[in-house]
Amino acid sequence: MSLAARVPDGECGVGHCARRTGRRSYSPFVPTNRRPRVTIDQVAQATGVSRQTVSRAINNKSEIDPETRQRVLDAARAMGYRPSRFARGLVRQDLITLGLVIADVLNPFFPEVTAGVLEAAERRGWQVVVYNTGSEHRKELEVVDLLFDQVDAGVAFLLHHDAIAKAAAGNLPFVLLDKGGRAPAVPGVRIDFEGGARRGLEYLIGKGHRRIAMLDDEMALSGEAPNARRELYLRVMGERGIPVDVGWIQPAHNSIDGGAAAMERLLSAHRDVTAVFAYNDVIAIGAQLRARALGLRVPEDCAFLGFDGLSIGELVEPPLTTLHIDKRRLGEIAVEQAALLLAGAGETEIPEAVIEPQLLIRASA
């Protein structure tokens, strides 16, 4: 298997924990009238030429009559045909190219997901092309266009509703990583954030904590994206009769520095909090480091709970208690679903796949 890594910083880059502008609603999207993928053989049959002639026309080869080339291109466009090989090379007809779209190559969540995709693809003899969006709206849309032109199937983490809709409406087999409730009819893997958040919060409450703060991703807190974790935080606290001070919920940039800054703001106004539930491990680690730098003992003065189960959580002192997501399995399942689609299964025939976060108790809580 070969890996062609694409992390462009110009026009065709793409990514996860996006810094986006503008508020966007996330109503569930249900694709309709999805057409079966048009093949090169169908274009050849429709135009009365050989598949080699279609290939020459698509690849702008000189050994073809200009009038024939234009007739083939017009037919291919009208039929919705898109070359399925990377860089429009049709040399290896037996080689499947999978496009993997991730949100942020610097986010430590994605290397393990990528490893799962690569391992599952290698077992099938596929090659993988990796695209990084930087979580930007424009780049997500650009990458979806690239997938149509360059790969046979796509596995993607997309944040924006219109990018998901665009991908789902095409004739490319397409699977969502972390589909959530945004596109129930699109194949993909769902992470049970609600179940995980409940397990974690019940654990903190069971340890006697009542003043539990939440450091939330600033993008999710702005309302630009669905946020099951914050909703569960408020729900569980309410079910337990624990009032939540609005100041306990602090926005954090999705980084270690962002977690540290959010923790400092929290402590400046609410030094009495005894536990922190963070949107993810990266934010939790930054918060824990800043708390210790400010003289708090962990977990005696303040306990910390992360989300994701990143391996770097083992390296902080004390090691971070977290809700572990099997990220490798997430990638593997997505490839399995893409294989079913390539074999001819319809979207509704793909069984729902759910990853259940598991509470991993370490020393921070």
Side-chain angles (χ1 to χ4, degrees):
M1 179 199 68
S2 63
L3 167 62
R6 293 220 163 176
V7 188
D9 51 14
E11 287 299 309
C12 60
V14 206
H16 176 65
C17 298
R19 305 274 77 79
R20 298 167 293 171
T21 58
R23 188 160 298 203
R24 184 168 301 276
S25 63
Y26 280 81
S27 56
F29 172 76
V30 179
T32 59
N33 299 324
R34 184 173 187 137
R35 296 176 297 170
R37 181 169 183 149
V38 178
T39 68
I40 190 173
D41 291 314
Q42 290 172 318
V43 176
Q45 184 177 9
T47 53
V49 299
S50 68
R51 62 180 293 131
Q52 289 79 12
T53 299
V54 175
S55 174
R56 292 189 185 102
I58 295 295
N59 288 284
N60 200 28
K61 300 294 184 182
S62 59
E63 318 90 358
I64 182 174
D65 176 71
E67 184 177 334
T68 302
R69 175 189 293 111
Q70 193 58 51
R71 180 162 57 88
V72 170
L73 292 176
D74 289 344
R77 189 176 300 110
M79 296 172 69
Y81 171 69
R82 294 179 183 273
S84 62
R85 296 294 177 257
F86 179 71
R88 297 190 168 188
L90 299 173
V91 179
R92 290 281 310 280
Q93 294 295 327
D94 61 328
L95 181 62
I96 296 295
T97 300
L98 179 71
L100 170 62
V101 181
I102 59 175
D104 186 357
V105 293
L106 298 179
N107 187 321
F109 179 87
F110 287 105
E112 287 188 56
V113 177
T114 301
V117 169
L118 293 177
E119 290 163 4
E122 183 175 20
R123 290 194 292 270
R124 291 167 170 80
W126 298 359
Q127 70 174 4
V128 177
V129 184
V130 179
Y131 305 83
N132 177 55
T133 65
S135 299
E136 295 181 20
H137 186 195
R138 173 183 60 84
K139 289 183 178 180
E140 284 192 2
L141 293 170
E142 290 174 356
V143 165
V144 169
D145 282 333
L146 289 175
L147 292 177
F148 288 144
D149 287 337
Q150 297 181 347
V151 303
D152 297 288
V155 168
F157 188 99
L158 297 174
L159 288 167
H160 295 84
H161 174 76
D162 54 351
I164 296 172
K166 186 176 187 179
N171 58 12
L172 182 76
F174 185 80
V175 175
L176 282 175
L177 291 163
D178 183 18
K179 62 180 286 183
R182 291 167 290 168
V186 180
V189 188
R190 181 171 65 85
I191 301 172
D192 183 14
F193 289 114
E194 293 192 10
R198 180 173 290 278
R199 275 187 286 275
L201 287 166
E202 293 285 3
Y203 171 74
L204 291 177
I205 294 169
K207 298 281 283 186
H209 295 286
R210 294 298 180 270
R211 295 187 296 277
I212 304 171
M214 181 178 185
L215 301 187
D216 202 359
D217 178 73
E218 63 183 9
M219 182 179 64
L221 192 58
S222 72
E224 292 182 35
N227 187 359
R229 279 165 271 198
R230 184 176 72 251
E231 292 172 4
L232 252 295
Y233 163 75
L234 294 171
R235 189 183 311 163
V236 171
M237 297 289 275
E239 290 171 356
R240 290 304 197 98
I242 303 173
V244 175
D245 188 306
V246 66
W248 291 356
I249 304 176
Q250 291 288 329
H253 183 273
N254 194 3
S255 64
I256 289 177
D257 287 343
M263 189 65 193
E264 189 159 341
R265 287 197 309 272
L266 174 67
L267 291 176
S268 68
H270 298 277
R271 189 86 178 189
D272 60 341
V273 297
T274 65
V276 169
F277 171 49
Y279 181 85
N280 60 23
D281 283 359
V282 171
I283 292 173
I285 289 169
Q288 181 174 308
L289 290 172
R290 182 57 54 87
R292 296 191 70 204
L294 292 173
L296 269 66
R297 299 170 300 162
V298 179
E300 292 85 356
D301 298 325
C302 189
F304 288 85
L305 173 67
F307 211 123
D308 284 348
L310 302 180
S311 57
I312 59 172
E314 300 178 75
L315 304 179
V316 295
E317 183 58 40
L320 181 67
T321 295
T322 183
L323 291 151
H324 178 266
I325 297 171
D326 191 339
K327 296 168 284 297
R328 257 188 165 83
R329 184 60 185 147
L330 173 63
E332 290 172 353
I333 294 173
V335 173
E336 291 166 6
Q337 292 188 343
L340 290 173
L341 292 171
L342 284 168
E347 286 83 356
T348 58
E349 299 176 274
I350 305 299
E352 182 183 51
V354 181
I355 297 289
E356 301 280 353
Q358 301 299 316
L359 180 62
L360 179 57
I361 300 173
R362 297 191 182 117
S364 72

